Amino acid sequence: MPDPTVPPTPPVPLDALLARADLGLRRIAGPADPAVVVHWAHTSEMADPYPYLLGGELLLSAGVHIPDGAGAGYFDAYVSRIVAAGGAALGFGVAPVHDTVPGALVEACEMHGLPLLEVPPRTTFSAVARALWQLMAQARTAELRRVTEAQQSLATAAARPDPVPAVLQQLARRLGGRAVLYGPEGTEIAGAGPEPGEEVRTALAKLAEVVRPPSPGHPRTPSPEDPRPPSPWHTRASSSGHRVGSGPDAPAGSSSDLHADLAARPSSASDTVAGVRLVAHALGNGEGFVLGSAAPQRDAGDHTIASVAAVLLSLLTGERHGGSGADRSSALVRLLLGAAPSEVAPLLGGDRWRVVRGRPDGRAAPDPVAASALGAALGSSLVDVAGEVVRVLVPDGRTVERVPGWTLGVSAAAAPRDWPAADAQASRALARARATRTPLLRHGDRPTALTDLVPPAEADAHARALLAPVEQSPALVDTLRTWLSLHGSWDRTAVALDVHRNTVRQRIARCAALLDTDLDDPDVRMELWFALRRT
């Protein structure tokens, strides 16, 4: 299985590789599209490389597999299989087998729209792969530097006398677009950055309505133009990415009805209108505020930057309107005076929480500033520094995502009486994450039970949502189904699919990455098998 310790790296534009003068690569066929990107390089002399490709590769070949007298049909089949596997480009090495790139190969690549690069004799395939990884490392470093600088500037802005406008200005500057804060009534409270067109403004306001929860003091009244007409059933995105149904069991207007409505709405949503990327984040203070952004393009790290701004604005608007700081102080006093955690949990803002244990990468121990930054990134001010580890209590409704520079272990959602057990789960998850050098590892318990999915319609919807990240790749789905049916045996799966065992390992690793889950967990395997049986 590919080394799980290697962190994900951003793809490299093919043009950046062509621009390396030391390689001397030359595009001789296929589209000159600047949007073509390469995820990795792979060398193969197989006549049919399809079983050994995961998609996004620069496939390198010296043409050893080409038989004497091969005609247009051979090259058409060869190129079509590369395209079917999702290959990004083909690099053909001139020498030692061929003096020139076969003309029939050039024609096939042109016909199928596959970029074809001529690799000169002086350039080895290992040099091409090394250059690709160097470009990836440079892009990753630039991305991390950009995110770090943005986090620092946003935190500085939040400490100014006019923090909300300052944070919006910094966010708009970092995204290169427009940032808007919408109030509980849906009106624009503050904004920064260039004004977009009317079509974009209207679309962003409607997108904010999709995620805006009604607050107790500002009940929401649907209008005929409401993009979310009322319905007896809603869907919400859970922390595992599933879509879960919830029904109105409480009387209209009751507190339970409000809580169900809050849970029914996603915490973020995105759209593209007139070539502009729109994103809306519901602020986590329960007051009905929404952060919206409109940018002409979506760069790596933008989601993290916008999430940090959303956390800061949640704290700012919550402190001004919700008295959250007083509630936390009250909860602490009650605990010190002997109250049970279950009695003070409502003061913290929820009944179910996750324990996140984090340890900084490359530092012996976290300092208070770093610990506070981690809590802000996770959307919680309930932070505890314990030696080399930081513990954070995060509300169940907030998705825990990777934080650059930290290794995280996440527990299952738990009620106050089970918080010690959740802390132990987070501790085990962090230990395993550090052992495997995985940036984030969640406890294996799943929030959705199979017994809740017995109705066929609900089961089918659950299966589609669970397998959505891999549904576009039949090879990955077939490999996952076969591997699970054979109890995770690499050799038996390879025999069943007629591929190499390393191909099985690569595909299963790809499935684990796309599904963002631990395939060694028996609960995960059971749920995936259930979903595969429904498709």
Side-chain angles (χ1 to χ4, degrees):
M1 183 177 292
D3 188 358
T5 66
V6 179
T9 52
V12 171
L14 184 60
D15 286 350
L17 204 59
L18 288 166
R20 290 281 297 252
D22 58 322
L23 298 179
L25 304 178
R26 186 168 64 95
R27 182 177 10 229
I28 59 177
D33 185 357
V36 175
V37 296
V38 178
H39 291 268
W40 41 62
H42 178 66
T43 302
S44 174
E45 297 297 342
M46 303 296 294
D48 180 11
Y50 179 93
Y52 302 90
L53 300 180
L54 296 175
E57 297 94 341
L58 168 61
L59 178 63
L60 300 170
S61 172
V64 177
H65 59 87
I66 301 175
D68 294 335
Y74 176 87
F75 291 104
D76 179 77
Y78 176 69
V79 174
S80 66
R81 292 291 281 174
I82 298 175
V83 173
L90 172 63
F92 192 91
V94 177
V97 182
H98 298 269
D99 296 330
T100 60
V101 180
L105 177 60
V106 176
E107 294 175 1
C109 289
E110 195 69 45
M111 180 177 64
H112 288 280
L114 179 69
L116 175 61
L117 312 184
E118 180 188 76
V119 183
R122 63 179 176 83
T123 302
T124 62
F125 289 173
S126 59
V128 175
R130 182 176 61 234
L132 178 61
W133 288 116
Q134 288 174 348
L135 291 170
M136 286 183 173
Q138 293 171 6
R140 180 62 171 167
T141 300
E143 174 188 334
L144 292 175
R145 183 181 298 112
R146 173 174 174 262
V147 170
T148 301
E149 291 174 352
Q151 290 175 331
Q152 293 172 346
S153 65
L154 288 169
T156 301
R160 293 183 52 180
D162 54 341
V164 172
V167 169
L168 291 175
Q169 289 172 3
Q170 279 296 327
L171 178 61
R173 176 171 169 265
R174 297 292 174 174
L175 298 183
R178 177 78 174 168
V180 179
L181 178 65
Y182 296 98
E185 302 84 0
T187 57
E188 182 175 325
I189 296 178
E195 283 279 358
E198 185 63 29
E199 179 184 6
V200 174
R201 286 190 60 184
T202 302
L204 183 59
K206 289 184 176 180
L207 190 64
E209 284 296 300
V210 172
V211 302
R212 182 176 67 83
S215 64
H218 302 86
R220 184 176 174 277
T221 303
S223 65
E225 295 80 14
D226 198 324
R228 291 183 289 106
S231 168
W233 294 95
H234 306 284
T235 58
R236 67 180 175 89
S238 74
S239 61
S240 60
H242 306 158
R243 300 196 67 81
V244 186
S246 59
D249 297 328
S254 70
S255 175
S256 297
D257 185 75
L258 175 60
H259 290 163
D261 198 14
L262 287 170
R265 302 169 195 276
S267 60
S268 64
S270 62
D271 195 5
T272 301
V273 174
V276 179
R277 175 75 171 181
L278 310 179
V279 181
H281 293 266
L283 301 191
N285 52 33
E287 292 290 317
F289 292 89
V290 175
L291 171 64
S293 63
Q297 61 184 6
R298 184 70 171 173
D299 294 328
D302 282 359
H303 176 78
T304 301
I305 294 172
S307 297
V308 171
V311 170
L312 292 172
L313 291 172
S314 296
L315 297 175
L316 293 171
T317 56
E319 288 177 356
R320 290 189 175 189
H321 300 279
S324 59
D327 288 342
R328 289 194 297 271
S329 297
S330 177
L332 176 59
V333 170
R334 294 188 188 186
L335 284 174
L336 292 175
L337 294 178
S342 58
E343 297 177 11
V344 302
L347 294 174
L348 301 177
D351 296 328
R352 292 175 64 81
W353 297 69
R354 298 179 188 276
V355 178
V356 179
R357 280 186 170 240
R359 184 162 176 170
D361 301 333
R363 295 193 298 271
D367 53 53
V369 174
S372 298
L374 175 63
L378 296 176
S380 175
S381 59
L382 302 176
V383 180
D384 171 48
V385 182
E388 298 180 348
V389 175
V390 176
R391 298 187 297 179
V392 185
L393 270 178
V394 179
D396 182 23
R398 180 171 294 276
T399 301
V400 177
E401 299 178 344
R402 292 177 52 198
V403 178
W406 290 85
T407 300
L408 304 179
V410 186
S411 76
R417 65 178 181 276
D418 298 321
W419 284 353
D423 186 35
Q425 293 173 358
S427 177
R428 291 193 296 268
L430 175 60
R432 185 171 182 182
R434 295 189 66 238
T436 59
R437 298 186 185 178
T438 303
L440 184 149
L441 196 62
R442 307 177 193 275
H443 179 70
D445 290 348
R446 309 286 283 185
T448 304
L450 294 179
T451 54
D452 297 331
L453 303 173
V454 172
E458 294 290 332
D460 292 342
H462 173 76
R464 288 192 299 270
L466 184 60
L467 298 174
V470 297
E471 66 177 355
Q472 298 300 322
S473 177
L476 292 181
V477 175
D478 290 343
T479 302
L480 181 60
R481 178 184 288 109
T482 305
W483 184 73
L484 289 174
S485 70
L486 296 174
H487 309 291
S489 171
W490 308 111
D491 293 329
R492 294 169 62 191
T493 303
V495 172
L497 297 176
D498 194 22
V499 297
H500 196 276
R501 69 195 306 268
N502 286 343
T503 300
V504 176
R505 290 180 175 272
Q506 292 169 0
R507 291 180 181 176
I508 294 301
R510 183 64 174 162
C511 289
L514 290 174
L515 294 171
D516 191 22
T517 192
D518 181 6
L519 295 182
D520 290 331
D521 189 324
D523 289 342
V524 173
R525 293 193 184 192
M526 177 183 65
E527 194 167 357
L528 285 172
W529 181 248
F530 174 87
L532 290 165
R533 292 291 298 271
R534 304 293 306 185
T535 59

